[in-house]
Amino acid sequence: MSMTVEELIAKAEQTQQLTEDELVLLLTDPAAAAPLYEAANRVREQYVGPQVELRGLIEFSNICKQNCLYCGLRRDNRQVPRYRLEAKMILDFGRRAAELGYKTLVLQSGEDDFFAPERLGPVLQELKNLGVALTLSIGEKSREEYAALRVAGADRYLLRIETTDKELYEKMDPGMSWDNRVRCLLDLKELGYEVGTGSLVGLPGQTIESLARDVLFFQKLDVDMVGIGPFIPNPDTPLAEAVGGTFDLACRMMALTRLLLPDANIPATTAMETLQPDGRMLALQRGANVVMPNVTDTDYRKMYMLYPGKICLNDAPADCRGCVTGKIHGIGRSVSQDQGFRRRRKSGGMN
Ligand code: 5AD
Ligand code: SF4
Ligand code: FES
């Protein structure tokens, strides 16, 4: 009556369907990991191919009005010196990233109201002149603000749901509303952004069932990008003593997301590499097809400390670019030369 792990994976590959119970089994059964990773790698090859999309990440402000319990940038953390890059400097980093060959820039910050659309919009317009696609990752805004930023040139938006367990979300992110976060994602979609979401894996009190529902949530929203990372306890936060997520569970979430959303863009996240040497290359062989190297100058990297153990703190943008390109070639893959928008494919992939 119940299917074996192999049968479940074959069903997912053929139909892009799994139930919550089936997802739970594939997230937990020790024997499921290896076949799941192989299947995710096959589906990635079939639907998005061997090319890896590189996105240059600019961390332009670490000031945040929110107080998420897990995050080092939370407003109550006095241990981190705060910075905001001048518009001129953001443009400068963007220009240098474009010179290094990046075709997409990701502008990320805490929820910093200083960068209202009136301030950020002109920066986006100038960056667009570099011929790059622009992704924003700056948190919850009103629909009007999202609309203004879209007009100014933003193509994509990353906003992780973090967890689909509403009660857990509202405990982890005091003063924030889960419903409003979903509202943001729906507004972004309607405004014509490519939308990315994702989860933290291993939050205290997070159940395997809720992780299974996270994957179903990504599929239901038919998001374009899904970033999944392990939660890494930060000593400067209330969750300093928490256990944190594992590399394996984060990879299983990522692999299952590839099976259910075969043509999505899925990054090998930096937090994965923090837990596991060469974790991003392993992730690229377990369903991922995107890497987001940092293109912020070294001086600022250590101040953008979401969690401890952040990689590349002393590396310059050109170092990371060379390093990642070399590693990608080392696993027999190539670096994409286009802007890497989602290419929708019918089930069955490119054949
Ligand atoms: N460990 C791992 N990821 C974290 N983030 C924030 N804090 C941590 C942490 N301690 C992630 C959140 C957020 C993204 C920008 O960084 O998921 O959406
Ligand atoms: Fe701010 Fe984002 Fe960190 Fe929450 S996760 S404290 S919103 S930077
Ligand atoms: Fe920064 Fe390897 S990605 S040095």
Side-chain angles (χ1 to χ4, degrees):
M1 175 200 114
S2 64
M3 288 198 257
T4 65
V5 159
E6 281 71 23
E7 287 166 345
L8 281 180
I9 291 172
K11 174 184 114 161
E13 262 190 270
Q14 283 153 24
T15 68
Q16 290 79 48
Q17 300 298 327
L18 286 171
T19 65
E20 182 183 325
D21 290 346
E22 292 167 345
L23 286 162
V24 167
L25 184 82
L26 294 174
L27 285 168
T28 47
D29 188 329
L36 175 59
Y37 296 155
E38 283 166 28
N41 197 40
R42 272 196 302 277
V43 171
R44 189 271 313 147
E45 180 67 28
Q46 188 188 353
Y47 282 79
V48 300
Q51 304 218 316
V52 177
E53 307 293 337
L54 295 188
R55 327 280 203 203
L57 177 66
I58 304 179
E59 296 161 336
F60 70 93
S61 162
N62 72 348
I63 295 173
C64 187
K65 68 177 182 188
Q66 301 296 2
N67 218 13
C68 306
L69 299 188
Y70 42 79
C71 176
L73 302 191
R74 63 199 305 273
R75 66 168 185 264
D76 285 352
N77 182 14
R78 298 283 137 73
Q79 305 303 315
V80 47
R82 304 286 172 164
Y83 72 90
R84 260 180 202 133
L85 297 187
E86 308 255 346
K88 197 171 118 312
M89 202 172 268
I90 302 176
L91 290 172
D92 205 43
F93 290 168
R95 209 169 295 121
R96 282 192 272 159
E99 281 163 17
L100 288 172
Y102 288 101
K103 305 287 192 290
T104 293
L105 298 178
V106 181
L107 293 174
Q108 191 173 73
S109 69
E111 287 200 12
D112 182 357
D113 288 336
F114 176 83
F115 284 104
E118 304 82 74
R119 269 213 178 79
L120 200 52
V123 179
L124 301 182
Q125 277 161 2
E126 287 219 43
L127 287 170
K128 281 306 271 189
N129 293 335
L130 299 168
V132 292
L134 290 181
T135 306
L136 291 178
S137 176
I138 61 174
E140 296 185 15
K141 307 280 170 201
S142 68
R143 185 182 175 102
E144 291 67 35
E145 289 171 301
Y146 287 146
L149 292 164
R150 175 95 181 100
V151 170
D155 303 289
R156 309 188 182 122
Y157 208 101
L158 307 178
L159 186 75
R160 288 184 178 175
I161 192 68
E162 315 291 2
T163 171
T164 53
D165 178 340
K166 178 173 172 168
E167 205 178 311
L168 177 63
Y169 177 87
E170 293 180 355
K171 199 156 116 193
M172 291 289 126
D173 300 349
M176 297 176 79
S177 141
W178 190 85
D179 290 333
N180 189 55
R181 209 157 179 88
V182 175
R183 188 276 303 162
C184 288
L185 291 169
L186 297 176
D187 276 348
L188 289 163
K189 242 182 162 235
E190 283 174 20
L191 290 165
Y193 283 89
E194 276 205 344
V195 175
T197 190
S199 315
L200 278 171
V201 175
L203 289 169
Q206 191 177 34
T207 63
I208 294 288
E209 288 73 20
S210 85
L211 288 172
R213 288 192 290 273
D214 290 359
V215 180
L216 295 173
F217 175 87
F218 308 149
Q219 186 180 38
K220 183 161 159 232
L221 253 65
D222 188 27
V223 289
D224 305 296
M225 303 168 284
V226 183
I228 289 164
F231 158 57
I232 302 173
N234 185 322
D236 297 333
T237 65
L239 299 183
E241 306 300 327
V243 175
T246 64
F247 180 70
D248 176 73
L249 192 55
C251 281
R252 287 191 195 217
M253 283 290 289
M254 187 190 68
L256 288 165
T257 300
R258 172 61 69 199
L259 296 188
L260 297 199
L261 268 175
D263 59 11
N265 281 320
I266 300 181
T269 56
T270 310
M272 288 184 173
E273 184 112 356
T274 297
L275 291 190
Q276 165 84 40
D278 262 324
R280 288 172 303 174
M281 295 306 119
L282 281 171
L284 285 177
Q285 297 170 90
R286 298 174 172 185
N289 71 312
V290 177
V291 181
M292 296 166 59
N294 204 314
V295 298
T296 322
D297 245 17
T298 318
D299 300 351
Y300 301 99
R301 294 188 181 196
K302 51 184 154 314
M303 290 189 269
Y304 204 91
M305 202 54 101
L306 304 166
Y307 50 81
K310 185 182 182 188
I311 62 168
C312 306
L313 285 184
N314 296 310
D315 299 298
D319 299 329
C320 291
R321 172 71 199 208
C323 162
V324 161
T325 304
K327 285 177 188 231
I328 289 168
H329 292 156
I331 58 168
R333 304 266 284 277
S334 54
V335 172
S336 162
Q337 297 303 322
D338 63 32
Q339 294 187 334
F341 283 91
R342 178 189 190 185
R343 283 181 294 270
R344 284 178 179 277
R345 305 218 190 272
K346 295 201 173 57
S347 56
M350 299 196 286
N351 309 325

Short mmCIF file of all heavy atoms in Angstrom, two decimals, residues 273 280 291 293-294 301 311-313 315-317 319-324 327, ligand 3:
data_model
loop_
_atom_site.label_atom_id
_atom_site.label_comp_id
_atom_site.label_asym_id
_atom_site.label_seq_id
_atom_site.Cartn_x
_atom_site.Cartn_y
_atom_site.Cartn_z
N GLU A 273 27.34 26.70 2.81
CA GLU A 273 28.80 26.61 2.77
C GLU A 273 29.40 26.86 4.15
O GLU A 273 30.47 26.34 4.47
CB GLU A 273 29.36 27.62 1.75
CG GLU A 273 30.86 27.52 1.57
CD GLU A 273 31.27 27.00 0.19
OE1 GLU A 273 30.39 26.64 -0.61
OE2 GLU A 273 32.48 26.97 -0.07
N ARG A 280 28.35 24.70 -1.23
CA ARG A 280 27.62 25.23 -2.41
C ARG A 280 27.80 24.32 -3.62
O ARG A 280 26.87 24.15 -4.41
CB ARG A 280 28.11 26.65 -2.73
CG ARG A 280 27.65 27.70 -1.73
CD ARG A 280 28.32 29.03 -2.00
NE ARG A 280 29.77 28.90 -1.96
CZ ARG A 280 30.63 29.85 -2.26
NH1 ARG A 280 30.19 31.04 -2.65
NH2 ARG A 280 31.93 29.63 -2.20
N VAL A 291 24.39 30.62 -7.88
CA VAL A 291 25.27 31.01 -6.77
C VAL A 291 25.28 32.53 -6.71
O VAL A 291 25.24 33.20 -7.74
CB VAL A 291 26.71 30.47 -6.94
CG1 VAL A 291 27.58 30.87 -5.75
CG2 VAL A 291 26.72 28.95 -7.08
N PRO A 293 27.62 35.17 -5.35
CA PRO A 293 28.84 35.65 -4.71
C PRO A 293 28.70 37.11 -4.27
O PRO A 293 27.98 37.90 -4.89
CB PRO A 293 29.90 35.53 -5.82
CG PRO A 293 29.30 34.59 -6.83
CD PRO A 293 27.83 34.85 -6.77
N ASN A 294 29.41 37.43 -3.21
CA ASN A 294 29.36 38.78 -2.66
C ASN A 294 30.19 39.72 -3.53
O ASN A 294 31.33 39.40 -3.88
CB ASN A 294 29.93 38.73 -1.24
CG ASN A 294 29.44 39.85 -0.39
OD1 ASN A 294 29.42 40.99 -0.83
ND2 ASN A 294 29.04 39.54 0.83
N ARG A 301 31.76 43.62 4.71
CA ARG A 301 31.26 42.25 4.80
C ARG A 301 31.08 41.78 6.23
O ARG A 301 30.11 41.11 6.56
CB ARG A 301 32.19 41.28 4.06
CG ARG A 301 32.20 41.54 2.57
CD ARG A 301 32.97 40.47 1.84
NE ARG A 301 32.97 40.77 0.41
CZ ARG A 301 33.28 39.91 -0.54
NH1 ARG A 301 33.65 38.68 -0.20
NH2 ARG A 301 33.25 40.26 -1.81
N ILE A 311 31.19 33.24 5.13
CA ILE A 311 32.36 32.96 4.29
C ILE A 311 32.86 34.23 3.59
O ILE A 311 32.14 35.23 3.51
CB ILE A 311 32.04 31.87 3.24
CG1 ILE A 311 30.94 32.35 2.28
CG2 ILE A 311 31.65 30.57 3.92
CD1 ILE A 311 30.79 31.46 1.04
N CYS A 312 34.08 34.19 3.12
CA CYS A 312 34.65 35.23 2.25
C CYS A 312 34.81 36.59 2.90
O CYS A 312 34.84 37.61 2.21
CB CYS A 312 33.79 35.42 0.98
SG CYS A 312 33.51 33.92 0.06
N LEU A 313 34.96 36.63 4.24
CA LEU A 313 35.03 37.93 4.92
C LEU A 313 36.23 38.74 4.46
O LEU A 313 36.18 39.97 4.45
CB LEU A 313 35.10 37.72 6.43
CG LEU A 313 33.78 37.32 7.08
CD1 LEU A 313 33.94 37.24 8.60
CD2 LEU A 313 32.68 38.31 6.72
N ASP A 315 37.80 38.33 1.44
CA ASP A 315 38.00 38.22 0.00
C ASP A 315 37.38 39.41 -0.73
O ASP A 315 36.31 39.88 -0.35
CB ASP A 315 37.40 36.90 -0.50
CG ASP A 315 38.06 35.71 0.16
OD1 ASP A 315 39.28 35.55 -0.04
OD2 ASP A 315 37.38 34.97 0.88
N ALA A 316 38.05 39.85 -1.76
CA ALA A 316 37.53 40.96 -2.57
C ALA A 316 36.58 40.39 -3.63
O ALA A 316 36.61 39.19 -3.93
CB ALA A 316 38.70 41.68 -3.23
N PRO A 317 35.74 41.26 -4.20
CA PRO A 317 34.80 40.79 -5.23
C PRO A 317 35.46 39.97 -6.34
O PRO A 317 34.90 38.93 -6.74
CB PRO A 317 34.21 42.09 -5.77
CG PRO A 317 34.24 43.02 -4.60
CD PRO A 317 35.51 42.68 -3.85
N ASP A 319 38.13 38.16 -6.14
CA ASP A 319 38.53 36.85 -5.61
C ASP A 319 37.36 35.88 -5.65
O ASP A 319 37.49 34.73 -6.08
CB ASP A 319 39.00 36.97 -4.15
CG ASP A 319 40.19 37.89 -3.99
OD1 ASP A 319 40.99 37.96 -4.94
OD2 ASP A 319 40.32 38.54 -2.93
N CYS A 320 36.20 36.34 -5.17
CA CYS A 320 35.03 35.45 -5.12
C CYS A 320 34.61 35.04 -6.52
O CYS A 320 34.25 33.88 -6.76
CB CYS A 320 33.88 36.13 -4.39
SG CYS A 320 34.20 36.34 -2.63
N ARG A 321 34.65 36.00 -7.42
CA ARG A 321 34.26 35.69 -8.80
C ARG A 321 35.16 34.58 -9.37
O ARG A 321 34.68 33.59 -9.95
CB ARG A 321 34.35 36.96 -9.66
CG ARG A 321 34.15 36.75 -11.13
CD ARG A 321 32.70 36.42 -11.47
NE ARG A 321 32.61 35.81 -12.77
CZ ARG A 321 31.56 35.87 -13.57
NH1 ARG A 321 30.47 36.51 -13.18
NH2 ARG A 321 31.56 35.27 -14.72
N GLY A 322 36.47 34.74 -9.18
CA GLY A 322 37.41 33.75 -9.70
C GLY A 322 37.25 32.40 -9.00
O GLY A 322 37.24 31.35 -9.63
N CYS A 323 37.09 32.47 -7.69
CA CYS A 323 36.95 31.25 -6.88
C CYS A 323 35.73 30.44 -7.32
O CYS A 323 35.83 29.24 -7.59
CB CYS A 323 36.83 31.66 -5.41
SG CYS A 323 36.15 30.42 -4.32
N VAL A 324 34.59 31.12 -7.42
CA VAL A 324 33.35 30.41 -7.75
C VAL A 324 33.40 29.85 -9.18
O VAL A 324 32.98 28.71 -9.42
CB VAL A 324 32.14 31.36 -7.54
CG1 VAL A 324 30.91 30.87 -8.27
CG2 VAL A 324 31.85 31.51 -6.05
N LYS A 327 35.50 26.74 -9.16
CA LYS A 327 34.82 25.59 -8.53
C LYS A 327 33.73 25.03 -9.42
O LYS A 327 33.52 23.82 -9.49
CB LYS A 327 34.21 26.02 -7.18
CG LYS A 327 35.24 26.19 -6.08
CD LYS A 327 34.56 26.69 -4.80
CE LYS A 327 35.60 27.04 -3.76
NZ LYS A 327 35.37 26.42 -2.47
FE1 FES B 3 34.46 34.14 -1.98
FE2 FES B 3 35.31 31.57 -2.71
S1 FES B 3 33.38 32.56 -3.05
S2 FES B 3 36.47 33.31 -2.01
#
